[in-house]
Amino acid sequence: MRTKSFLLFVFAAAFMLVLLQNCRPDKTEPPVNTDPDSLYAGTPVTLTKPFKFPAIEIPTGINLTKEGVQLGRMLFYDPVLSSDSMFSCSSCHKQQFAFSDGGNAFSTNIFGLTKRNSPALFNMVWMKKFFWDGRAATLQLQAEDAMQHELNFIDPNVVAKLQIKPQYVYLFKKAFGRPGDITKEKVSNALTQFMLTLISSESKFDSVMRNQASFTAEESHGFYDLFKQDPALNQQQPGVGADCFHCHASSSGDYLTMIDNSFHNNSLDTSNGFQFPDNGQGAITGNQLQNGIFKTPHIRNIEVTGPYMRDGRFTTLEQVVDFYNEGLKVSATHDPLMKFESQGGLHSLSPQDKADLIAFLKTLTDYRFLTDTSLANPFH
Ligand code: HEC
Ligand code: HEC
């Protein structure tokens, strides 16, 4: 009899406990989602910081999810985004050329030829301003600008064209939840998510920096004695100091992004007073002291992103190196880091030095990035 009531007591106590548990106000489990339409929440994507790169900060307003990135990838490759359904972002930004328009000085779109060379797209999570003249302060603003100007997305039909495709209706809902409407902002948000995942950090140069490979003698001379050396500190010794790192390396020398997040006039053109053939940053800010100044472009993957400069004036890396050695032009806003502008260039590089500098530049090619199938056209 005693055991029986004891058992009853235990049973009742256990029951009370379960009840109490369920009534706890701070219960943190999310409610079970029974709405088949509301697949929102998304699978979070975490980007991995490559060796000696700065920390990754996802821009405000962007919630990086697998669904968002996948949608962005489809939109990037889909000509449905242009008002004439002929051009996609990938018409001018092609993976095998590190998302530049390899081979073309200018690119073609609905309106004809672009005014400037299509830049390579990668490592943008570490970039602060976009376009050659820096006119977009965030990647999402950039994507909106590209949709509007390159694809004539201003045409309201474009959203309507997406809305009638059940696959996109489903994918937008999956990426952004309810309501499942498609808006221009969601398109640029998804494109931004995809572009943030374009990370290039697996070149031979990276392997050497990680002690997993070594430079040839030529590459080593090209990097350590030329690219990375300041000639002013070496009294212009022959074979030392091509001085590229001041602009084509990160502002903190410890990082390997090779992005300085800055703007310079690298002495490509003469000026008439403060007027340049293309006023660049000055045309945006209205400050004539910034005329002729442009964003430092990528040096990573440089082997495949030609023709070079914002107007694609140089076809080969040989021409680029000749320019820095003996082709500089004097102008009103030249960068103080172009120390030899007044004498027309370094004049210190021998043919062997030039070849070695180029041998180094070619170690920056990241074949894994150029062939990564997860970044390729999903419709093929
Ligand atoms: C017709 C060719 C063309 C198309 C199509 C195109 N772009 Fe571009 N893109 C360019 C050119 C040219 C520039 C440089 C313009 C400038 O700086 O004035 C550029 C610049 C950019 C930049 C800035 C990169 C940097 O380092 O500053 C990004 C990002 C970009 N485009 C993404 C896109 C996206 C996303 C799309 C599709 C919505 C797209 N582009 C469509 C030609 C194109
Ligand atoms: C004062 C800063 C500065 C220095 C120093 C400098 N560059 Fe540049 N470089 C730039 C800028 C800015 C551009 C883009 C200019 C433009 O198109 O208007 C550029 C463009 C380039 C390009 C073309 C990139 C492309 O995608 O079009 C290459 C290649 C290049 N530089 C290599 C070098 C090498 C090699 C050195 C050393 C010999 C060097 N640079 C020194 C600022 C600099």
Side-chain angles (χ1 to χ4, degrees), residues 75-76 81 87-93 101 107-110 112 114-121 124 127 129-135 139 142-143 146-147 150-151 191 195 295 298:
L75 293 169
F76 189 88
L81 279 203
F87 297 94
S88 63
C89 308
S90 64
S91 308
C92 306
H93 300 288
D101 195 3
S107 309
T108 309
N109 67 5
I110 303 164
T114 56
K115 285 202 299 237
R116 297 195 183 121
N117 181 255
S118 300
L121 305 183
M124 288 177 287
M127 272 186 185
K129 284 190 175 167
F130 301 90
F131 289 120
W132 284 100
D133 49 21
R135 65 183 179 273
L139 190 54
Q142 185 293 318
M147 290 192 308
E150 301 303 345
L151 302 172
L191 283 169
M195 290 196 288
K295 175 175 160 172
H298 278 301

